[in-house]
């Protein structure tokens, strides 16, 4: 039986992960959960999975959770820990084999690194970990003999396709993108996009930032960086195709011209099922893809003129240094400002480009602490830029 620690248990990836665990009785033991402040959801998870250790954001939240768990017999109440330190305890629980890293944002970076240092295998759902600190994190994983299995559907697909050949036989990988709700829109149409319009994603149900990032195509940009580090590729080996049906989750082209694709339904449960069980494959209790019902599969090149985030990410992936960190931090702040109606939809890439121009000074990060500090400073500067020039 595999023992699991889950970072971010009440978020959408965390809930899907526990669903997969529940559907495969006898395969997994959930030993530790980390969540933020959703104590109702977390108490329900504790009652169903009986973890030994649970981490929440603050002492106040911890008191609230303890109250909700009063009806459990004392022997099945977990130890409750809090804050940054609590996250690290969950990430490094001595009995854990596999850490599922699904805390959203840069808050996931430190606990994921600590899990790697303690030799835990990683199922990685958090994009920022590799986007902002890919070099440090992959080096750390190499040193500790840790495999990082991607949960992000595109990278999970590529991970599967790569099992058909050796690293030296790969010509390129092709990340597919749904194109978001504004595929085919002119710049004039894009100038009228509201937060409500951007939050409606055609094929995937996700959190607010990633949904807006899908609409600007920055999400695919971040995935270029993710792929670069996960599979040790040159940027020139990473292509993006728009594929509105979201059935082909990505492809690998080998040097002999063969293309291998992974297809499936749009359900986070599928990449999680693969990542949790890797290197085995276990039967899914859910219905799979009925390909004969899919009328057509289309593939188009992205419109990089109206969706400049893609080229910004390619630039960051080529130059590296602090650029990917600046790109990510500036984008998160800009998306938040867009959702608050402080800036326009087209303002998002303009702000990111501005912040990237200032990032050239840092050649390379030497520690996670340095990354976190730099991330903070970019966020501060981005807010200042928005107040000054964009309102
Ligand atoms: Mg994805």
């Amino acid at each position: 039986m595999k023992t699991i620690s889950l970072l971010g248990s009440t978020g959408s990836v965390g809930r899907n992960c526990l669903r997969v665990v529940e559907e495969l009785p006898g395969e997994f033991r959930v030993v530790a959960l980390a969540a933020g402040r959703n104590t109702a959801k977390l108490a329900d998870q504790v009652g169903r999975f009986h973890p030994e250790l649970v981490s929440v954001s603050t002492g106040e939240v911890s008191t609230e959770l303890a109250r909700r768990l009063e009806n459990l017999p004392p022997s099945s109440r977990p130890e409750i820990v809090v804050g940054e330190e609590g996250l690290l305890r969950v990430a490094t629980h001595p009995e854990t084999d596999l850490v599922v890293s699904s805390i959203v944002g840069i808050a996931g970076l430190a606990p994921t690194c600590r899990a790697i240092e303690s030799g835990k295998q990683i199922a990685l759902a958090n994009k920022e970990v590799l986007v902002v600190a890919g070099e440090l994190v992959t080096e750390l994983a190499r040193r500790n003999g840790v495999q990082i299995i991607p949960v992000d559907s595109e990278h999970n697909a590529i991970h599967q396709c790569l099992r058909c050949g050796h690293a030296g036989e790969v010509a390129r990988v092709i990340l597919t993108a749904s194109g978001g709700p504004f595929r085919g829109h002119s710049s004039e149409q894009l100038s009228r996009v509201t937060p409500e319009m951007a939050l409606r994603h055609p094929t995937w149900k996700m959190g607010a930032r990633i949904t807006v990032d899908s609409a600007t195509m920055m999400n695919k940009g971040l995935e270029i960086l993710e792929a670069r580090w996960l599979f040790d590729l040159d940027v020139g080996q990473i292509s993006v195709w728009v594929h509105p049906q979201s059935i082909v989750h990505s492809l690998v082209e080998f040097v002999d011209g063969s293309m291998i694709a992974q297809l499936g339904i749009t359900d986070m449960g599928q990449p999680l099922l693969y990542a949790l069980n890797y290197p085995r494959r276990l039967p899914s209790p859910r219905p799979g893809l009925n390909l004969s019902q899919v009328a057509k599969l289309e593939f188009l090149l992205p419109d990089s003129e109206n969706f400049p985030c893609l080229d910004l990410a390619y630039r960051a992936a080529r130059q590296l240094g602090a650029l990917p960190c600046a790109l990510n931090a500036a984008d998160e702040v800009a998306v938040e400002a867009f959702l608050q109606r402080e800036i326009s939809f087209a303002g998002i890439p303009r702000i990111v480009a501005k912040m990237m121009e200032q990032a050239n000074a840092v050649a390379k990060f030497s520690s996670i602490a340095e990354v976190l500090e730099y991330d903070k400073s970019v966020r501060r500067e981005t807010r200042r830029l928005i107040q000054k020039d964009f309102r």
Side-chain angles (χ1 to χ4, degrees), residues 127 152-154 223:
K127 279 192 173 54
D152 201 351
S153 63
E154 294 80 359
E223 289 180 357

Side-chain angles (χ1 to χ4, degrees), residues 150 152-163 173-176 223 227 231 233 238 249-252 260 262 274:
D152 201 351
S153 63
E154 294 80 359
H155 305 80
N156 188 271
I158 291 169
H159 192 273
Q160 300 194 39
C161 297
L162 286 174
R163 291 167 84 176
V173 304
I174 300 143
L175 295 163
T176 55
E223 289 180 357
F231 309 117
L233 298 164
I238 307 171
H249 294 150
S250 278
L251 309 90
V252 173
I260 309 292
Q262 190 265 344
Y274 175 86

Side-chain angles (χ1 to χ4, degrees), residues 127 151-155 176 204 206 210 214 219-220 223 226 249 268:
K127 279 192 173 54
V151 173
D152 201 351
S153 63
E154 294 80 359
H155 305 80
T176 55
W204 288 95
M206 305 167 296
I210 187 170
S214 297
N219 182 52
K220 211 49 55 181
E223 289 180 357
E226 225 185 326
H249 294 150
M268 277 312 294

Side-chain angles (χ1 to χ4, degrees), residues 117-357:
E117 281 166 347
S118 353
K120 311 296 187 193
Q121 299 304 304
I122 305 289
L124 185 66
N126 171 306
K127 279 192 173 54
E128 287 84 351
V129 167
L130 290 174
V131 168
V132 306
E135 192 166 3
L136 290 170
V137 171
T138 47
E139 174 55 28
L140 199 61
R142 231 185 330 268
R143 273 210 310 270
N144 289 283
V146 164
Q147 274 184 313
I148 300 176
I149 310 299
V151 173
D152 201 351
S153 63
E154 294 80 359
H155 305 80
N156 188 271
I158 291 169
H159 192 273
Q160 300 194 39
C161 297
L162 286 174
R163 291 167 84 176
C164 290
H166 296 291
E169 298 166 348
V170 173
R172 63 168 172 164
V173 304
I174 300 143
L175 295 163
T176 55
S178 72
F182 311 127
R183 181 172 53 86
H185 278 39
S186 66
S187 61
E188 207 275 315
Q189 285 170 303
L190 287 173
S191 70
R192 291 193 304 263
V193 165
T194 63
E196 290 73 24
M197 291 156 76
L199 287 174
R200 261 180 260 130
H201 191 273
T203 49
W204 288 95
K205 262 201 224 85
M206 305 167 296
R209 182 195 171 192
I210 187 170
T211 306
V212 176
D213 277 347
S214 297
T216 62
M217 292 204 64
M218 181 59 95
N219 182 52
K220 211 49 55 181
L222 299 177
E223 289 180 357
I224 291 169
L225 283 148
E226 225 185 326
R228 189 255 170 267
W229 292 114
L230 272 171
F231 309 117
D232 195 19
L233 298 164
D234 289 331
V235 179
Q237 289 177 289
I238 307 171
S239 305
V240 172
W241 287 354
V242 172
H243 168 48
Q245 291 81 16
S246 299
I247 297 280
V248 174
H249 294 150
S250 278
L251 309 90
V252 173
E253 183 174 356
F254 287 93
V255 287
D256 61 0
S258 276
M259 280 187 164
I260 309 292
Q262 190 265 344
L263 289 71
I265 51 171
T266 50
D267 175 356
M268 277 312 294
Q270 205 173 29
L272 278 162
L273 182 67
Y274 175 86
L276 293 180
N277 289 304
Y278 179 81
R280 303 177 304 167
R281 284 186 187 272
L282 291 188
S284 166
R286 300 185 158 251
L289 172 67
N290 187 346
L291 195 55
S292 63
Q293 295 283 301
V294 178
K296 60 177 176 180
L297 299 174
E298 298 166 287
F299 301 94
L300 317 145
L301 290 177
D303 172 1
S304 50
E305 205 165 301
N306 281 322
F307 297 90
C309 288
L310 219 44
D311 282 346
L312 291 175
Y314 269 122
R315 195 201 304 165
R318 266 193 307 272
Q319 297 185 22
L320 296 177
L323 257 65
C325 186
L327 168 107
N328 175 68
D331 177 66
E332 190 165 339
V333 174
V335 166
E336 190 50 42
F338 164 68
L339 291 173
Q340 300 298 322
R341 298 184 158 73
E342 292 174 355
I343 62 167
S344 70
F345 186 71
I348 298 173
R350 293 217 306 274
I351 286 165
V352 174
K354 264 240 155 68
M355 294 313 297
M356 281 173 63
E357 279 166 27

